[in-house]
Amino acid sequence: MSKSEQLVDTALQLFYRQGFHATGVEQLSREGEVTKKTLYRYFPTKEALVEAALQRRDAQFMDELQRFVAPLPLAERPAGYIDFIVQWVQQPTFHGCFFINAVAEYAGCDEPAHRIAAAHKRALRSYLAQLCTEAGLEGAAGVAAQLFLLGEGLIVACQVEGPEPPLLAAAQATAAGWTRQGGVS
């Protein structure tokens, strides 16, 4: 792994755990085991490192999700998205959605971090629509939108309140019912 990639990984972990604005360049260089001068050689600004971390997380998240649902039968893949979220929010390292957190700290729609987060959410919705279409669901786009919102709500609820078993079970049951019926009736 190159030093640049190592810095991005370190930044991703720190930003995710502490927040973007709460993580300073001093800490990034110290924990990345480089001088500030070296850090700035790879990333001319902290914001460039923020953008690289968001792009890395986008690739990681989509890869993890795809690997999770790929072994499932086509008909079960849409609900598999919610199962993926349920297993993720129960991990001890869960600190919410990196992209929701980014938008909270970079509220301006024209800010690069905000744009990257929005692009991630669009790609996720598109992937869910693909899963619903491949599963042969009637109204696939609508079911995908519902699954997306259920997943987003589940992520935020678990970040705020913790992964309560009834909440997780309700989300899984709802997703399974939606995908069997082709959406809420």
Side-chain angles (χ1 to χ4, degrees):
M1 178 183 297
S2 73
K3 185 51 80 172
S4 173
E5 292 172 326
Q6 182 181 342
L7 283 169
V8 173
D9 283 347
T10 298
L12 195 157
Q13 292 170 19
L14 291 171
F15 293 148
Y16 185 56
R17 192 172 58 242
Q18 299 173 178
F20 298 92
H21 296 314
T23 304
V25 173
E26 290 285 338
Q27 183 183 18
L28 288 164
S29 64
R30 183 177 60 252
E31 295 202 23
E33 299 177 347
V34 297
T35 64
K36 283 196 322 186
K37 182 177 179 179
T38 300
L39 187 146
Y40 283 124
R41 188 172 349 151
Y42 288 110
F43 301 96
T45 64
K46 177 184 169 186
E47 299 313 310
L49 187 53
V50 167
E51 292 168 32
L54 284 162
Q55 291 165 344
R56 171 74 52 84
R57 181 61 184 144
D58 173 57
Q60 287 175 344
F61 181 88
M62 294 305 289
D63 181 61
E64 291 168 7
L65 174 57
Q66 290 167 1
R67 283 187 290 123
F68 186 89
V69 300
L72 300 174
L74 284 176
E76 294 176 21
R77 289 180 184 177
Y81 165 67
I82 298 302
D83 294 337
F84 172 78
I85 297 297
V86 166
Q87 63 84 27
W88 173 41
V89 300
Q90 295 180 79
Q91 295 176 3
T93 56
F94 175 75
H95 299 287
C97 172
F98 196 55
F99 303 97
I100 294 171
N101 296 346
V103 169
E105 290 196 49
Y106 295 94
C109 293
D110 59 336
E111 294 185 73
H114 191 110
R115 287 195 313 264
I116 294 168
H120 167 78
K121 296 300 183 181
R122 283 191 302 274
L124 178 57
R125 284 193 313 270
S126 177
Y127 179 65
L128 292 173
Q130 175 189 333
L131 292 179
C132 291
T133 299
E134 290 170 353
L137 298 177
E138 186 176 323
V143 176
Q146 293 168 3
L147 286 169
F148 174 77
L149 291 174
L150 178 62
E152 295 296 294
L154 185 58
I155 292 165
V156 172
C158 290
Q159 183 177 8
V160 173
E161 299 178 21
E164 296 296 321
L167 173 68
L168 302 178
Q172 287 174 310
T174 301
W178 278 347
T179 56
R180 275 196 302 274
Q181 298 169 15
V184 175
S185 42

